[in-house]
Amino acid sequence: GGFCDWVLSNPICSSQTASGRNGDICAWCSGQQQAAGRNGGFCDWVLSNPICSTQTASGRNGDICAWCSGQQQAAGRNGGFCDWVLSLPACSSQTASGRNGDICAWCSGQQQAAGRNACPTAQEILDDLKMEYETDVCALSVFGWLDVNSQQWNKDVIKEDLKTLPPQVTAGISEESISECVMAQLEEYTNHQCANGFSSEEVATLKKYLTGVAEYECLKDQLEEGCEAYLNGTNN
């Protein structure tokens, strides 16, 4: 709804000159405003465009097709759309102008649309992490890799278990490679537009848990890469 309010407030929609894609989106918002409060209708419209049904969508077109295809579960909130828009390089630079500048500015100032603030609270982030990794934590605890009580990795157990795998699988895994990967992920968090909205205590807590998540994801990614290398080598 907020998105369509913004679109229809644009002078081009109030004139008779809107044509092509501009005309399409004006007409869609005009006829679909009853879809206020849900991104599903927007994504239905995007994905009904022939360009999204082909393999040729690229650049910004490819990005929005992919976003809508993978994120339709975000229906019911415009926030997900704005998260995606504001993550684009055009919005993080000072060069966005014209329609790009307008939508960056709209999303930056209007993320409270659909009933939620632009930036989640620290507790919301922790709750999301708990929900997302609940099963993983259970499995890691059963494996003996994670001490749930102390919230610390059992590195000795992990190292011993990794030694039981074929050398090709673990060849690229080291404390240095994990550390570099973790640092890169933490830098992304640090540069996030919401990073300055937390107290020093909240930052310390978030850093602790996000570091743990990054360590897990980095190890998992490197194990997957090692497995692929091993399988490819076996098949050759």
Side-chain angles (χ1 to χ4, degrees):
F3 175 75
C4 278
D5 290 339
W6 173 78
V7 168
L8 294 174
S9 70
N10 194 301
I12 199 169
C13 284
S14 61
S15 71
Q16 301 301 311
T17 59
S19 60
R21 190 169 182 84
N22 284 338
D24 289 342
I25 200 167
C26 292
W28 179 82
C29 273
S30 180
Q32 297 294 325
Q33 270 204 330
Q34 64 269 31
R38 62 189 265 278
N39 266 332
F42 175 75
C43 281
D44 289 342
W45 174 77
V46 167
L47 295 173
S48 70
N49 193 303
I51 199 168
C52 284
S53 61
T54 70
Q55 301 301 313
T56 59
S58 59
R60 191 172 180 85
N61 285 338
D63 288 343
I64 200 168
C65 292
W67 181 81
C68 274
S69 179
Q71 296 295 325
Q72 271 202 329
Q73 64 269 31
R77 63 186 187 86
N78 267 331
F81 175 74
C82 280
D83 289 341
W84 173 78
V85 167
L86 293 173
S87 71
L88 293 173
C91 285
S92 61
S93 70
Q94 300 302 313
T95 59
S97 59
R99 191 168 182 85
N100 282 341
D102 289 343
I103 200 167
C104 292
W106 180 80
C107 274
S108 180
Q110 297 293 325
Q111 271 206 335
Q112 62 269 30
R116 79 180 194 53
N117 292 324
C119 294
T121 66
Q123 189 58 54
E124 285 173 337
I125 294 175
L126 294 175
D127 289 344
D128 286 345
L129 290 176
K130 181 179 179 180
M131 182 179 298
E132 183 174 354
Y133 288 96
E134 187 173 16
T135 302
D136 300 73
V137 168
C138 179
L140 291 168
S141 176
V142 171
F143 294 160
W145 285 25
L146 179 67
D147 187 325
V148 177
N149 293 324
S150 67
Q151 298 182 343
Q152 297 290 327
W153 296 110
N154 293 324
K155 292 187 177 180
D156 291 339
V157 176
I158 295 173
K159 288 178 180 178
E160 289 301 313
D161 284 349
L162 292 180
K163 287 179 182 178
T164 66
L165 298 173
Q168 298 95 319
V169 174
T170 58
I173 301 175
S174 66
E175 289 192 15
E176 291 76 16
S177 67
I178 298 294
S179 179
E180 289 178 6
C181 175
V182 170
M183 291 286 287
Q185 290 201 21
L186 291 180
E187 186 175 355
E188 289 185 16
Y189 298 139
T190 302
N191 294 331
H192 194 277
Q193 60 182 8
C194 296
N196 295 324
F198 304 108
S199 68
S200 57
E201 291 182 357
E202 289 173 332
V203 168
T205 301
L206 288 172
K207 184 176 180 180
K208 172 185 175 182
Y209 286 101
L210 290 174
T211 298
V213 168
E215 289 170 338
Y216 170 60
E217 291 292 349
C218 287
L219 176 59
K220 187 170 69 170
D221 287 346
Q222 292 183 18
L223 279 172
E224 289 176 354
E225 290 175 3
C227 286
E228 288 180 8
Y230 173 71
L231 292 174
N232 289 336
T234 302
N235 291 332
N236 289 335

